[in-house]
Amino acid sequence: MTKRWRVAGINFSHMHMGDLLRQVSEHPFADIVGICDEQPDAMRATIEALQIPPSDVFTDYQSCMESTKPDLVILCPPTGEHALWVERVAPYGAHLFVEKPFAGSLADADRMIAAVGAAGTQMMINWPIRWEPCYYTTWRLIDQGAIGDMIEVHHYGGNRGPLYHGADKVEIEPTAEAKNRSWWYKLQSGGGSLRDYLGYGVTIGTWFNGGQIPIDVTAVTTQTPGLEVDEHSITVARYQNGLSKFETRWGTFTDPWIHQPQPKCGFVVRGTAGTISAYDYESTVRVQTKDQPEGYDHPVAHLPSGEQNGVQYLITRLENGLPIEGPLSPEIARIGQQIIDTAIQSAEEKRTVPLRT
């Protein structure tokens, strides 16, 4: 490393902010120079956990940016406000680390891309499961041609619900009142299981399938009485060479980082010469090939040094002048956003919809 990277965290609406700032605190060449949220209580747990001094705590993003002059800003606003916050922060010239999902809509995603383009900076969309060795291994096997050309992706993703855990996966038991207050359960803010988890499936799936774009999308959701957003969705995307399926669920029987629920959270992919199944947090992936149709357990590969979590990856890439690649790139994430927007329209109109452009 040729420098120390100055990092600020702005907007704590997504509970992952605490986890991401911990990654900064553990990075040997990065410093937390400021944190900011309009609601001081939202920052309290992180201040205590990481011992952030009062001088580095702000409630106004402009003061934070002007005082700390960060090289990199982590943004964790509600999904529906991603474009707003990127447009606010990008002109200051910092690179941006946006916690998933990409945006509240395809139009918002394009606003974000335009804002960082005008600023001449880079933007990374962080999908936490990108850092799971099982999915990195799956991509490596696909990239090496182990299962031939990709023709199907199946994903089941979710957890008990976004209010059942906080930073560092601390368990919480939410009340009905807490759900009604939370942006996660408000349609206008980008809430709902489809908006929360479909991005994982279709963005990682697009990485797996080499950037293929579907022709059309069919989606259905369930509505829980008393809630304005879905807690369960199934999306089918039709490609030139077949169908892929993506299912999202708030309300799994258990959280996958504690006990894998059934169905198991993860991916099953099929190519012209084999298949791979990979599930959250597991130490092997299951592979079938024409030579070994009975299948075998393939050990997961270690993530490259300096790219073992989101903060490490972005700093390494920026330090070495390397592009942001795969599902972390706006290019691949935008294809995922196209599928999400089309799925939302399909579920609302109860029909198959051509992919939105």
Side-chain angles (χ1 to χ4, degrees):
M1 292 286 174
T2 60
K3 62 178 285 185
R4 295 199 66 83
W5 289 82
R6 299 171 60 82
V7 183
I10 295 180
N11 199 305
F12 281 60
S13 295
H14 198 301
M15 81 288 289
H16 288 179
M17 178 64 91
D19 303 325
L20 297 170
L21 289 173
R22 185 179 297 282
Q23 292 177 15
V24 177
S25 72
E26 294 171 349
H27 194 289
F29 293 96
D31 300 301
I32 300 171
V33 296
I35 63 172
C36 179
D37 195 279
E38 295 173 348
Q39 303 298 325
D41 285 350
M43 299 182 282
R44 181 171 295 125
T46 298
I47 292 169
E48 294 175 356
L50 301 181
Q51 299 183 331
I52 296 175
S55 59
D56 293 343
V57 178
F58 299 83
T59 56
D60 176 77
Y61 80 93
Q62 294 171 310
S63 297
C64 179
M65 294 299 297
E66 292 166 2
S67 299
T68 65
K69 296 180 171 55
D71 303 302
L72 168 63
V73 173
I74 298 172
L75 291 174
C76 287
T79 304
E81 296 179 13
H82 281 197
L84 169 67
W85 281 98
V86 167
E87 290 175 336
R88 284 175 172 175
V89 174
Y92 288 92
H95 300 287
L96 299 182
F97 180 116
V98 180
E99 185 63 350
K100 66 86 190 173
F102 191 171
S105 68
L106 185 60
D108 282 2
D110 286 340
R111 286 169 55 191
M112 294 162 67
I113 292 170
V116 294
T121 55
Q122 293 212 58
M123 174 174 62
M124 183 183 109
I125 312 305
N126 187 53
W127 300 94
I129 63 172
R130 165 62 177 80
W131 314 112
E132 287 301 317
C134 60
Y135 301 129
Y136 173 69
T137 303
T138 300
W139 173 77
R140 280 187 48 173
L141 289 168
I142 293 168
D143 191 54
Q144 292 164 5
I147 62 170
D149 297 328
M150 286 290 298
I151 55 176
E152 293 178 29
V153 177
H154 302 265
H155 179 243
Y156 184 87
N159 55 47
R160 286 189 297 159
L163 301 186
Y164 284 81
H165 57 277
D168 295 325
K169 295 294 190 280
V170 174
E171 291 196 47
I172 303 167
E173 192 68 34
T175 63
E177 291 75 17
K179 287 185 177 183
N180 288 326
R181 289 195 305 268
S182 172
W183 74 266
W184 287 101
Y185 289 84
K186 296 187 186 304
L187 195 60
Q188 187 173 0
S189 297
S193 81
L194 185 152
R195 289 166 176 81
D196 185 25
Y197 264 93
L198 182 58
Y200 276 118
V202 296
T203 307
I204 300 296
T206 300
W207 182 39
F208 288 164
N209 73 23
Q212 294 181 56
I213 297 174
I215 299 166
D216 53 41
V217 174
T218 308
V220 294
T221 63
T222 61
Q223 293 297 130
T224 301
L227 298 179
E228 60 181 69
V229 299
D230 71 280
E231 293 190 299
H232 192 188
S233 76
I234 297 176
T235 297
V236 176
R238 183 169 67 95
Y239 294 82
Q240 192 68 42
N241 58 1
L243 302 176
S244 290
K245 178 174 71 70
F246 309 92
E247 186 167 358
T248 72
R249 187 70 169 102
W250 283 355
T252 56
F253 189 69
T254 53
D255 286 318
W257 52 85
I258 300 174
H259 301 292
Q260 265 283 19
Q262 296 188 112
K264 295 171 74 171
C265 293
F267 287 85
V268 177
V269 297
R270 182 184 175 186
T272 54
T275 71
I276 303 170
S277 62
Y279 298 103
D280 291 1
Y281 312 108
E282 293 192 356
S283 59
T284 62
V285 300
R286 186 75 178 170
V287 182
Q288 286 179 299
T289 64
K290 290 182 177 179
D291 292 336
Q292 294 181 273
E294 73 280 7
Y296 64 94
D297 292 330
H298 188 293
V300 300
H302 294 295
L303 293 163
S305 177
E307 296 188 358
Q308 296 177 335
N309 61 44
V311 169
Q312 284 187 18
Y313 178 93
L314 184 53
I315 289 177
T316 295
R317 291 273 149 168
L318 293 173
E319 178 75 23
N320 292 285
L322 298 172
I324 297 166
E325 297 180 323
L328 311 171
S329 70
E331 293 77 18
I332 294 295
R334 188 184 186 278
I335 296 172
Q337 190 68 51
Q338 287 178 266
I339 300 172
I340 294 168
D341 275 35
T342 311
I344 291 169
Q345 181 183 352
S346 172
E348 290 175 348
E349 298 180 1
K350 296 180 173 53
R351 66 181 181 92
T352 299
V353 176
L355 185 72
R356 298 183 68 171
T357 58

